[in-house]
Amino acid sequence: TQKTTQKTTQKTTQKTTTKEKVLELLNADPYTTRANLASRLSKSENTIKEHLANLKIEGRLKRIGSDKGGYWMVILHEK
């Protein structure tokens, strides 16, 4: 079970890191495309799509405007 726990922890850490990187990149350039994010993070577009969806559900990201001409707004939470 220790090996399973270690794998799960590692996977969770990697996911969090990717989500944080997505937020950082979108904060720096809100007009960045999903394809650009995938390329810069060496992930598939579907992986980026999943992270974007989760970030929207968590209330950390919001899409402003249309899919083609809109942009991303990173929502900063106070600590």
Side-chain angles (χ1 to χ4, degrees), residues 14-30:
Q14 287 173 343
K15 257 192 174 177
T16 303
T17 303
T18 301
K19 280 172 39 175
E20 294 304 321
K21 286 180 183 174
V22 167
L23 286 174
E24 286 174 19
L25 290 171
L26 290 175
N27 201 30
D29 180 6

Side-chain angles (χ1 to χ4, degrees), residues 22-37 48-57 60-75:
V22 167
L23 286 174
E24 286 174 19
L25 290 171
L26 290 175
N27 201 30
D29 180 6
Y31 293 92
T32 299
T33 64
R34 191 163 60 206
N36 186 288
L37 289 170
I48 298 301
K49 184 178 180 178
E50 186 179 316
H51 285 300
L52 293 172
N54 288 332
L55 287 164
K56 287 194 290 187
I57 289 167
R60 299 178 71 191
L61 193 61
K62 186 175 182 177
R63 184 73 183 172
I64 308 295
S66 67
D67 287 347
K68 291 276 183 194
Y71 63 94
W72 293 102
M73 183 173 77
V74 176
I75 300 163

Side-chain angles (χ1 to χ4, degrees), residues 2-13:
Q2 185 179 3
K3 197 171 191 176
T4 306
T5 305
Q6 188 176 3
K7 260 187 177 178
T8 305
T9 304
Q10 185 178 5
K11 197 171 186 178
T12 304
T13 304

